[in-house]
Amino acid sequence: MSEEKMSAETYVVSGGRPAHEHDAPVNPPIILSSTYRGAGTVDTVSDKVYARFANPTWEAMEEVVAGLEGGTHGLLFPSGMAAIASILDLVPVGSVILIPKHAYMASITMSKDLQKRGIAEVVRIDLEDTASVIAAFEDAAARTGVTPETVDYAAPKVLAWLESPTNPMLEVADLPTICAAAKRLGVVTAVDNTFATPILQKPLSFGADVVVHSATKFLAGHSDVLLGVTVTSNEDLYQAMLHHRITNGAIPGPVEAWLGLRGLRTLALRVERSVHNAQRLAERLSEHPAVEEVRYPGLPGSNGHELAKKQMHGGFGAVLCVVLRASDEQTQRVVEALRVWTPATSLGGVESLIERRRRHGSEPDSIPPSLLRLSVGIENVDDLYQDLVTAIEQVIQ
């Protein structure tokens, strides 16, 4: 069966394997070498030369993630932020970065740092208001003079950084409409697909130019490795990100790459179980009297539910937010009273993690002080629910 005809559930297990030959290993080996033999003229396409340029251990995971996302080129990085930097650092002086009002805070921080250095202007956008997003694209394109004919993917004058669902407020963007408008205007689009994973959503199929993941999260899936990955089918973007990785030394370790691929093998199963648990928890918690709001696109009647139904297949993700009818101090005590849930930042592991997001001073005031972000794992959902309810009822009278 060809890779094109395989389901994601099959490809995530079978992709990136060594050749089907007698006595070949089932798993790709870990290649530990800082350099490669060679004496002739260097062919930059086929020769590995030096470990900052290439390592066969990376290539297997790059191949699988690119195949899952429907892209032609995958690039592995030592962290999600290194992957993000390989895109954001491409913008030239005088550029505009459009980024959601709610997004991964480190992405916003990196964008603001570019603004402080006089490289780019940062414009915040509301992804739930598609018309205003397109208007912001039109304004940025007009002010920078970019057009579809003049767009430089290796040095984008206007870069739209998108998330859907957003972190942590789980807003859903109309990605097909937004990406189509970007193409029409010469705006380059990057989508952080960490929350959805390619099991549930493929932004490249909606017209996005590049997809980025913190592979630390769902892709590797075991809270034991830092990795990032980008995927694109645009040759100019790929070459620019590859150049960034080589020249900045933003390379993953081969052991980390091997661990990431091992974790990736169970992605489909883990996502299926975690999404099932998240949906049930969202439904049950929304009925609890101590809960003011549950933010989860899988809840009928939520702002992004109908849009998410069209864009996400197989579920609505394994992250949800709960706003308690409580003070920030009470909310923190609820977290401390939990026994099954682990109080920690990050997400996407097999274990369920919980965090009061406003404990981070960098979180904006638009995040409610009593908001808890839940990364739902693969445990028994009844145990997860009972642990939450017991802690809530111990603290909130």
Side-chain angles (χ1 to χ4, degrees):
M1 179 183 291
S2 66
E3 294 176 359
E4 293 78 12
K5 294 182 179 179
M6 286 184 190
S7 66
E9 293 86 352
T10 298
Y11 183 68
V12 76
V13 176
S14 64
R17 299 281 185 181
H20 292 189
E21 299 172 352
H22 181 68
D23 282 342
V26 172
N27 290 310
I30 302 174
I31 304 298
L32 297 171
S33 183
S34 62
T35 191
Y36 302 94
R37 295 177 64 91
T41 302
V42 172
D43 183 333
T44 57
V45 175
S46 61
D47 291 344
K48 288 183 171 56
V49 184
Y50 188 61
R52 186 161 44 84
F53 303 164
N55 185 303
T57 314
W58 309 338
E59 293 166 4
M61 187 168 180
E62 291 173 338
E63 175 187 322
V64 176
V65 179
L68 290 173
E69 286 285 6
T72 57
H73 300 298
L75 283 172
L76 200 61
F77 294 85
S79 68
M81 283 311 300
I84 290 167
S86 77
I87 303 169
L88 287 177
D89 280 351
L90 299 180
V91 299
V93 173
S95 58
V96 176
I97 299 172
L98 301 114
I99 194 165
K101 64 178 183 179
H102 297 126
Y104 180 45
M105 188 49 62
S107 300
I108 296 172
T109 299
M110 185 175 287
S111 299
K112 287 182 175 179
D113 285 348
L114 290 168
Q115 182 168 255
K116 289 177 183 177
R117 290 158 52 197
I119 294 172
E121 175 190 353
V122 176
V123 175
R124 305 300 288 274
I125 52 177
D126 181 356
L127 289 181
E128 289 187 312
D129 186 347
T130 302
S132 73
V133 171
I134 295 173
F137 287 3
E138 292 170 340
D139 178 69
R143 289 191 290 113
T144 59
V146 72
T147 68
E149 293 73 30
T150 63
V151 60
D152 183 352
Y153 289 95
K157 289 184 177 179
V158 184
L159 175 66
W161 191 266
L162 308 173
E163 290 183 14
S164 184
T166 63
N167 182 7
M169 296 298 278
L170 298 164
E171 296 138 324
V172 178
D174 187 344
L175 290 177
T177 300
I178 290 172
C179 290
K183 290 287 187 195
R184 175 173 57 83
L185 294 163
V187 174
V188 176
T189 50
V191 178
D192 187 332
N193 203 33
T194 299
F195 271 30
T197 83
I199 299 297
L200 304 180
Q201 177 176 269
K202 295 178 170 59
L204 295 181
S205 70
F206 302 142
D209 294 308
V210 60
V211 169
V212 63
H213 287 271
S214 173
T216 305
K217 313 300 195 297
F218 289 102
L219 297 190
H222 291 78
S223 302
D224 57 5
V225 64
L226 288 178
L227 286 171
V229 64
T230 62
V231 178
T232 187
S233 293
N234 184 293
E235 187 67 25
D236 291 340
L237 257 175
Y238 167 69
Q239 291 296 336
M241 292 185 296
L242 176 61
H243 177 77
H244 180 280
R245 183 173 75 173
I246 291 171
T247 56
N248 287 274
I251 59 170
V255 174
E256 287 80 3
W258 188 90
L259 283 171
L261 180 61
R262 186 180 68 167
L264 188 63
R265 298 302 187 193
T266 59
L267 176 66
L269 285 173
R270 289 185 286 103
V271 168
E272 180 181 16
R273 176 60 177 253
S274 293
V275 167
H276 168 267
N277 285 353
Q279 182 72 41
R280 290 191 61 189
L281 285 173
E283 292 168 353
R284 295 171 73 176
L285 289 169
S286 64
E287 298 176 352
H288 195 282
V291 173
E292 180 177 327
E293 180 186 15
V294 175
R295 299 187 69 91
Y296 184 67
L299 290 177
S302 65
N303 284 351
H305 179 67
E306 292 303 320
L307 196 54
K309 280 173 61 177
K310 297 177 182 178
Q311 296 178 181
M312 303 178 74
H313 303 282
F316 300 92
V319 178
L320 60 99
C321 287
V322 174
V323 180
L324 299 179
R325 302 182 192 278
S327 65
D328 51 353
E329 188 273 335
Q330 287 176 310
T331 304
Q332 188 58 41
R333 283 169 51 202
V334 168
V335 172
E336 294 167 354
L338 293 165
R339 295 295 175 264
V340 178
W341 293 78
T342 299
T345 198
S346 196
L347 53 102
V350 293
E351 64 288 309
S352 293
L353 304 180
I354 190 167
E355 182 177 47
R356 188 177 76 87
R357 289 299 299 174
R358 284 288 291 279
R359 79 187 183 101
H360 296 279
S362 58
E363 284 292 285
D365 292 343
S366 55
I367 306 298
S370 62
L371 180 142
L372 296 171
R373 188 184 71 183
L374 283 60
S375 171
V376 184
I378 64 173
E379 304 94 335
N380 180 283
V381 69
D382 293 328
D383 292 338
L384 293 173
Y385 177 75
Q386 192 57 53
D387 191 40
L388 281 168
V389 168
T390 299
I392 289 170
E393 294 178 352
Q394 282 178 355
V395 173
I396 304 173
Q397 306 301 322

